[in-house]
Amino acid sequence: MKFGLLGPLAITSDEGRLVEIRGRKIRILVAMLLCRANQPVAVEVLTDALWGLKPPRQAGASLRVYVHHLRQALGDARIDRRAEGYGLLVRPDELDVDRFRGLVALGRDAVSRQDAGEASRVFRAALALWRGPALAGFDGVDGLSTEAYSLEELRLDALEQRFEAELTLGWHREISPELRALSTRHPFRETIRGQLMRALAGRGLGAEAVAVFDETRRILGDEFGLDPSPQLRELHLSILRDDPTLQPPTSGDGTGPAPATRPRAPGDVVPRQLPAQMTGFVGRSRHLRQLEVMLSDERDRPVAMPIATICGPAGIGKTTLAVHWAHLAADRFPDGQLYVNLHGFDPIRSPVEPAAAIGLFLAALGVAARRIPVSSAERESLYRSLLADRRVLVVLDNAHDAGQVRPLLPGNAGCFVVVTSRNLLAGLVAAGARPIVLDLLTADEARHLLRRRLGVQRIAAEPAAVADIVARCGGLPLPLCIVASRAAVLAGFPLSALADELGQARRTLDGFASDDATIDLRAVFSWSYRVLSDRAARMFRLLALHPGPDAAAPAATSLAGVPPSQARSALAELCAANLLSVPGPGRYAYHDLVRAYAIELAESHDSAADRDDAVRRVLDHYVHTAYPATLSIDPTQTPTAVDPPQPGVAPEALADRQQALAWFEAEHAVILRAVARAVDGFESHAWQLAWSAVVYLDRGGHWQDKMTVLCGALAAARRAGERTMEARTLRSIGRTYGRLHQYDKAYECFREAISRYRDLGNVRGQAHAAASYAEILEYEGRYPEALAMSEEAYELSRSIGDPLHEGRALGTIGYLHALLGEYEQTISVCRRALDLSGKADDTVGQAGVCDSLGVAYQNLGRHRDAVAHYRRALDLLEETGERFYVALVLSHLGDAYQVAGEIPAARHAWRRALAIFTTLGAREAEGVRGKLLALDDKPAAPVTLVAPTKSRGGR
């Protein structure tokens, strides 16, 4: 094993696999034992580190449990139990701290022999072992903080000795950025400050060197009341005198200064392996800046070698970006650029073994074939030794996983590594690599790419066709390049014809086919699919059948019909392979072209019966989650007969109304598409899901969406011959037309619904339809007709003993009396309605009756009673999600406040009402806006009645 303390705690197996040590206490235990490797650590010392001054009563037993877990992770032979305590046995060269100390000793020996070149090489190799601050993550742990400080001091001492050697070699220019960054981070370290002054002076920047001294003197004086050391003061004087000894040493023939970079030996080879740049590179400015920042950020360079991982799905342009930037940065790597295609997802070749890749690199670095070691370990050692004091850019393209990459990483902080992969390479990121995740091209960038490939005139001539092509390619560079290549070959072919061809093949990838597998989109996607596990491959295919724009993990679980743990594992694998994206927490989506590929696979690999079963399961999931959710929002909702779910379906359990509303909000777009999918072939799901969603859609003011799902439910009911469901849906469509102020269509739906119910002998349905009919008549201001229809609904409800709808109909009758100016009668009727609604536990009905009473009291001049009833209505509506009715009551409340002369309160109520109406796109917003404008211009005339309607009927 390899054990690492020079950075976050890290343990890797012989194969390069990370050994996970879970739990902070166990990690502290490992770190404590490694700090005293091969020596017993007293139980008392370990206890203090784990629990501080107040260990629990069972600390000894807990420690034994932690040791037991450690034995399981590392092996019994690793843990030594003696009378003095516990020890962790580490073999020579397994612990990075031991390797670091050994290299530092060799570096000091080279200094004593005045071999500056060897000293620089060895110190750089030692410092390359650091992955971050020593024992990172263990701040404040007794025993570890002291050790971390000691190691940090040793690191700084090694840095100072390395800089001293490199100043002797004349590398003033190369080390100046590192010295400047370190002097900022360690302002009291006079040795580093002095070395920075010497490096600057040696470059002819004497004024900057003097400024460093002045800053040092000020910092030491402000913090400690001290002057700089005599040595630093003497150096300052030497700089002021322009002492020639401060200049870098000259080259061997004395003709000029020594080179600013590592002297190159006669036999050195400078590899230039970067492939040619792709033509037409566009966009990616943000990602190019990220790479530039990593390269120019000298603050991290002394600690660890920079590694950038460029990740993203197939066709996103990872290699193009890496190669483009590598060419831009090549001149900053004077010792060469190494490149290898690791073929991590090649359909024909196996992924390149790390040892083989290192063999290619060694050959590129000038190592004769007969001198390339046979064993992997020896190859790695030689590779890192050759790069130990060089500045080389290493591009590792198309990596399969972190294990393929780790052996190819140089040990030198002066090198820079860029890795591209379809996978996220989480292991490298956890070890300090910086991820760059590519996103899709914007529409402007996509047009720019086509313009670069096809010319300005051709693009300008067919803007509509270009927009269509850009949309079809969905921001993926590869399909854009494929289309551009075809258009370039067919120079006389109109772009509109290509766009039409892509449109005709929108469910397939035929429009992006090619004889060359590297640019055939179907083939490129297949390279990622081939390496999936069987579970992930099945999830990839079936998830394409999901009707929504994205899917939550529970829905994916039901769709696949597998346990949640298996579903989560498969989804994680697909995300790691960049075949799925994560548009929000716990939600998964395809790129449109990837979905098209997945659908092709599903149709070729999974039988029609298996595909239908998957769709049925996911529709069951939504029905059996949505229906209980809608009942928690409105327990008075008319019951809907729901078929039992298929085996494998795991509906979501929503604890309360708030969770139900949040679920509907998250699944809003999915439900619309699910109903549309169910209309053809899954008819019962269409109306069951539609009726499970209408309460949320209605109360949230999503009336166009409500109309969409109800029309789908109506089509499904008619196709299945479900007359009762057809009548119920017609009634609800009529109410929705009323919301949208399309009254003629609303009346037509009500008349048809009442006729259907009458033919079926369904009195309850007739009552509900009559109540809804009355509601729309009220909307249009036809109050006498509305009153007659409401009385009919009341009598029908009373005849079948339906107190809920009897109370709602009575409440509407009371409100209509108010609209007709019969306020005393309103109060009498509404009191009876309030009693019925209370017995039926109808919160919305009670709120409506309270609002009607408020209107009556307001017009009778009893303003306090009016305000009290409006506030009671708002309290009742608060938990229902009935935003439209909340706004109506707020509008009425503002009227009451205005009449009472409480203008600030009126303005506040109207503003709240206006905000809700505006959000809902309701016409009532204009009336409220007019009140507010009149209030600001001059005192408005007293308001006698504001009469937008309230719902008294069911959905």
Side-chain angles (χ1 to χ4, degrees):
M1 288 184 175
K2 296 290 185 184
F3 299 90
L5 297 179
L6 301 180
L9 174 66
I11 303 175
T12 55
S13 68
D14 238 0
E15 302 82 20
R17 181 180 55 83
L18 281 173
V19 177
E20 286 194 59
I21 304 294
R22 298 187 177 182
R24 178 168 171 78
K25 297 290 189 191
I26 302 181
R27 292 175 65 81
I28 291 173
L29 175 61
V30 176
M32 287 292 295
L33 295 176
L34 284 174
C35 285
R36 297 162 181 77
N38 300 314
Q39 301 175 26
V41 183
V43 170
E44 294 78 8
V45 173
L46 294 175
T47 301
D48 288 345
L50 290 169
W51 291 286
L53 298 177
K54 295 182 179 180
R57 184 176 301 175
Q58 301 297 323
S62 297
L63 176 59
R64 289 192 292 274
V65 171
Y66 297 151
V67 171
H68 170 72
H69 288 309
L70 202 54
R71 291 182 190 277
Q72 289 182 320
L74 305 181
D76 284 342
R78 288 279 181 184
I79 308 301
D80 183 28
R81 178 68 169 106
R82 304 181 193 172
E84 302 95 320
Y86 292 98
L88 200 161
L89 302 181
V90 175
R91 300 184 182 95
D93 204 37
E94 283 189 326
L95 180 61
D96 59 359
V97 173
D98 290 343
R99 297 200 301 277
F100 175 69
R101 292 182 189 275
L103 286 169
V104 167
L106 290 174
R108 288 173 177 165
D109 180 64
V111 169
S112 69
R113 291 184 282 105
Q114 298 184 343
D115 187 344
E118 177 67 7
S120 169
R121 187 190 69 78
V122 175
F123 281 125
R124 280 181 175 266
L127 292 163
L129 295 171
W130 286 68
R131 297 167 289 106
L135 293 159
F138 294 119
D139 296 343
V141 177
D142 189 24
L144 294 182
S145 297
T146 303
E147 184 69 19
Y149 177 81
S150 174
L151 289 170
E152 175 65 13
E153 284 297 306
L154 190 56
R155 184 183 76 87
L156 288 172
D157 181 68
L159 273 167
E160 289 171 350
Q161 295 193 66
R162 193 202 103 198
F163 291 137
E164 197 62 39
E166 291 172 356
L167 285 169
T168 302
L169 292 168
W171 299 0
H172 294 55
R173 183 178 301 277
E174 182 169 272
I175 66 175
S176 291
E178 290 183 54
L179 283 167
R180 190 180 293 279
L182 277 169
S183 68
T184 300
R185 204 180 313 169
H186 302 281
F188 310 127
R189 203 153 183 111
E190 291 186 74
T191 300
I192 289 176
R193 289 254 163 179
Q195 289 171 332
L196 175 60
M197 291 167 62
R198 289 163 58 194
L200 293 171
R203 295 171 56 194
L205 303 174
E208 290 188 32
V210 170
V212 172
F213 177 81
D214 291 339
E215 181 187 47
T216 306
R217 179 166 53 190
R218 177 182 57 77
I219 290 172
L220 291 174
D222 290 347
E223 293 292 329
F224 306 110
L226 298 174
D227 289 327
S229 65
Q231 294 86 350
L232 205 62
R233 295 199 300 270
E234 182 64 32
L235 174 60
H236 176 232
L237 289 174
S238 297
I239 294 170
L240 292 175
R241 295 169 183 155
D242 202 14
D243 189 335
T245 62
L246 295 175
Q247 296 305 308
T250 58
S251 56
D253 57 7
T255 58
T261 57
R262 180 191 64 85
R264 194 168 291 127
D268 278 359
V269 175
V270 179
R272 307 289 187 193
Q273 290 191 309
L274 294 179
Q277 291 199 65
M278 303 287 187
T279 59
F281 181 87
V282 299
R284 304 302 189 202
S285 56
R286 177 169 61 88
H287 305 99
L288 289 170
R289 282 197 301 273
Q290 285 179 274
L291 288 162
E292 283 299 314
V293 167
M294 288 183 64
L295 180 57
S296 60
D297 189 357
E298 298 289 344
R299 291 174 298 174
D300 290 339
R301 190 88 44 85
V303 175
M305 174 188 59
I307 305 171
T309 62
I310 301 177
C311 305
I316 199 72
K318 300 179 291 295
T319 298
T320 303
L321 171 64
V323 172
H324 180 80
W325 179 82
H327 278 283
L328 295 176
D331 62 340
R332 283 169 280 181
F333 296 93
D335 293 316
Q337 304 88 45
L338 295 170
Y339 171 91
V340 65
N341 184 347
L342 295 173
H343 296 291
F345 298 90
D346 196 295
I348 300 172
R349 308 182 198 178
S350 300
V352 176
E353 290 293 330
I358 293 174
L360 295 173
F361 283 166
L362 292 174
L365 291 165
V367 179
R370 65 180 182 278
R371 298 190 60 193
I372 295 177
V374 175
S375 79
S376 299
E378 290 176 346
R379 285 190 179 194
E380 287 183 42
S381 178
L382 178 58
Y383 167 62
R384 292 197 174 104
S385 296
L386 286 173
L387 296 186
D389 54 357
R390 300 190 190 195
R391 188 156 173 75
V392 174
L393 174 62
V394 182
V395 180
L396 307 175
D397 194 17
N398 198 19
H400 185 268
D401 54 31
Q404 190 185 21
V405 169
R406 284 194 188 95
L408 307 179
L409 299 178
N412 171 17
C415 291
F416 192 104
V417 180
V418 178
V419 188
T420 75
S421 179
R422 298 185 188 183
N423 288 333
L424 295 177
L425 304 179
L428 287 184
V429 175
R434 297 192 194 178
I436 296 175
V437 181
L438 292 194
D439 44 18
L440 301 172
L441 295 178
T442 66
D444 286 343
E445 290 172 337
R447 282 191 291 271
H448 188 195
L449 187 152
L450 292 175
R451 194 180 303 120
R452 292 279 297 271
R453 295 292 185 94
L454 302 177
V456 174
Q457 292 182 344
R458 193 171 181 190
I459 296 301
E462 297 186 75
V466 170
D468 200 8
I469 290 170
V470 167
R472 298 289 182 196
C473 295
L476 273 178
L478 179 58
L480 281 165
C481 292
I482 293 171
V483 174
S485 298
R486 294 179 64 190
V489 171
L490 303 170
F493 203 63
L495 295 180
S496 58
L498 278 175
D500 290 343
E501 183 182 333
L502 296 179
Q504 292 167 6
R506 64 183 180 275
R507 274 181 54 86
T508 72
L509 301 180
D510 291 345
F512 304 100
S514 171
D515 293 334
D516 183 347
T518 62
I519 59 169
D520 183 289
L521 202 57
R522 187 180 285 112
V524 170
F525 288 157
S526 74
W527 302 346
S528 292
Y529 175 77
R530 288 174 56 253
V531 298
L532 295 175
S533 66
D534 290 344
R535 286 177 180 173
R538 180 174 179 270
M539 178 66 81
F540 177 70
R541 299 192 306 271
L542 293 185
L543 196 58
L545 306 175
H546 185 276
D550 56 24
T557 300
S558 291
L559 181 143
V562 297
S565 59
Q566 288 185 22
R568 286 194 298 268
S569 174
L571 291 168
E573 185 176 343
L574 293 174
C575 289
N578 276 301
L579 288 169
L580 287 181
S581 61
V582 184
R587 304 194 71 84
Y588 302 88
Y590 293 97
H591 184 281
D592 287 347
L593 295 176
V594 178
R595 180 191 283 269
Y597 175 65
I599 289 173
E600 288 184 3
L601 290 177
E603 291 175 348
S604 61
H605 285 68
D606 302 292
S607 68
D610 287 343
R611 298 197 302 273
D612 285 348
D613 285 345
V615 173
R616 189 171 289 106
R617 282 193 300 268
V618 79
L619 293 175
D620 275 351
H621 175 89
Y622 287 115
V623 168
H624 286 273
T625 304
Y627 187 58
T630 206
L631 291 179
S632 70
I633 295 172
D634 180 10
T636 66
Q637 167 72 3
T638 303
T640 301
V642 175
D643 298 330
Q646 300 294 308
V649 175
E652 297 174 62
L654 306 173
D656 53 32
R657 178 179 291 166
Q658 291 305 315
Q659 284 193 15
L661 288 169
W663 183 85
F664 274 117
E665 194 71 33
E667 302 295 346
H668 186 136
V670 174
I671 289 171
L672 299 184
R673 296 197 187 187
V675 172
R677 173 65 183 88
V679 169
D680 184 14
F682 303 91
E683 288 81 4
S684 63
H685 288 90
W687 67 70
Q688 290 170 20
L689 184 53
W691 276 101
S692 297
V694 291
V695 172
Y696 158 74
L697 294 171
D698 186 78
R699 293 189 177 187
H702 307 293
W703 298 315
Q704 290 289 358
D705 290 342
K706 181 185 174 189
M707 181 69 77
T708 298
V709 300
L710 287 172
C711 287
L714 181 62
R718 283 175 170 167
R719 180 173 295 171
E722 284 283 342
R723 302 291 300 280
T724 300
M725 189 54 65
E726 180 185 356
R728 179 181 175 183
T729 306
L730 281 166
R731 175 176 63 83
S732 193
I733 289 174
R735 290 187 72 249
T736 310
Y737 274 132
R739 282 274 188 270
L740 300 172
H741 303 279
Q742 299 180 39
Y743 301 122
D744 290 343
K745 291 182 178 179
Y747 299 144
E748 183 181 342
C749 287
F750 290 136
R751 285 192 290 269
E752 191 175 351
I754 290 171
S755 174
R756 294 279 191 279
Y757 280 130
R758 190 178 290 120
D759 292 344
L760 293 167
N762 189 330
V763 177
R764 188 184 303 276
Q766 290 180 65
H768 292 179
S772 299
Y773 201 159
E775 180 183 354
I776 306 309
L777 289 167
E778 177 193 323
Y779 275 12
E780 205 178 6
R782 296 162 64 174
Y783 303 141
E785 295 171 78
L787 182 58
M789 189 61 69
S790 294
E791 288 172 342
E792 180 180 339
Y794 170 70
E795 292 299 334
L796 287 168
S797 296
R798 194 170 65 154
S799 70
I800 58 173
D802 183 355
L804 171 67
H805 291 93
E806 184 183 347
R808 287 190 174 181
L810 200 57
T812 303
I813 291 169
Y815 186 63
L816 287 163
H817 281 301
L819 293 174
L820 292 168
E822 300 163 351
Y823 305 120
E824 295 292 353
Q825 196 163 356
T826 294
I827 294 170
S828 174
V829 171
C830 283
R831 283 175 176 167
R832 290 164 51 206
L834 194 61
D835 182 57
L836 281 170
S837 297
K839 290 178 180 177
D841 198 22
D842 180 9
T843 303
V844 175
Q846 291 177 75
V849 173
C850 286
D851 183 56
S852 298
L853 286 167
V855 171
Y857 284 127
Q858 179 180 330
N859 284 279
L860 291 172
R862 296 168 61 178
H863 303 305
R864 288 184 179 275
D865 288 336
V867 168
H869 280 83
Y870 290 143
R871 287 192 170 281
R872 173 61 177 153
L874 289 173
D875 290 341
L876 288 164
L877 290 171
E878 183 178 3
E879 297 297 325
T880 66
E882 290 272 13
R883 300 167 67 200
F884 181 76
Y885 299 125
V886 167
L888 282 177
V889 177
L890 284 168
S891 177
H892 292 170
L893 179 60
D895 298 342
Y897 279 134
Q898 186 204 23
V899 173
E902 299 181 35
I903 303 305
R907 181 181 285 109
H908 179 68
W910 283 338
R911 282 177 175 170
R912 288 178 61 197
L914 178 61
I916 298 173
F917 280 142
T918 302
T919 301
L920 298 177
R923 287 187 183 181
E924 287 78 3
E926 288 305 313
V928 178
R929 187 176 288 109
K931 295 177 188 178
L932 283 166
L933 290 172
L935 199 63
D936 291 336
D937 290 342
K938 58 183 179 179
V943 176
T944 56
L945 182 66
V946 179
T949 191
K950 300 172 291 300
S951 170
R952 310 295 175 179
R955 296 291 181 269

